[in-house]
Amino acid sequence: MATRRSVLGNDHVDRAQAKKTAFDEPFQDLITEAAWGHVWSRPHWTKRERSMVTLALLAALGHHDEVAMHVRATANTGATPDDIREAMLHVAIYAGVPAANHAIKIVKQTLAEMEEAST
């Protein structure tokens, strides 16, 4: 849970926890343990590196809501807009221009919202 909070932020995790029901509690436990406890907590890559890879994978697979969420998480992981751009260029070449094009629209909108919120 500590890693999940450090990447996504307390507000996001608190909202997810507040919305948790008996139906999705096992799923929430699974992602907390597997994604955050095992994968994101491994020492071999930094959170910045994991952030870039995660964004590229989400964009390539068309998981648009998750792209926006992980762009917001870059405020906590240290991945920069330049890092995100490079990841999207990889998506364009290895997963296709349409996947990258749509993800870039989401990235731009999310970064603009983040900039606006910080002013």
Side-chain angles (χ1 to χ4, degrees), residues 100-116:
N101 187 46
H102 192 77
I104 287 169
K105 289 177 189 174
I106 294 166
V107 168
K108 287 170 55 177
Q109 178 182 347
T110 307
L111 289 173
E113 290 168 359
M114 291 168 66
E115 179 68 26
E116 185 177 308

Side-chain angles (χ1 to χ4, degrees), residues 44-87:
H44 304 290
W45 282 356
T46 64
K47 285 185 176 65
R48 175 183 163 265
E49 292 166 324
R50 289 185 192 286
S51 194
M52 290 183 292
V53 169
T54 299
L55 280 165
L57 289 166
L58 293 170
L61 294 168
H63 299 301
H64 304 126
D65 290 339
E66 298 282 321
V67 168
M69 179 181 74
H70 277 276
V71 168
R72 287 188 294 274
T74 62
N76 301 321
T77 66
T80 66
D82 289 344
D83 292 331
I84 299 169
R85 181 186 56 237
E86 295 303 315

Side-chain angles (χ1 to χ4, degrees), residues 56 59-60 85-101 104:
R85 181 186 56 237
E86 295 303 315
M88 293 304 109
L89 290 171
H90 268 63
V91 171
I93 297 303
Y94 292 101
V97 170
N101 187 46
I104 287 169

Side-chain angles (χ1 to χ4, degrees), residues 12-24:
H12 176 87
V13 175
D14 289 344
R15 281 191 306 274
Q17 292 296 100
K19 293 178 187 175
K20 183 169 60 174
T21 66
F23 179 80
D24 70 334

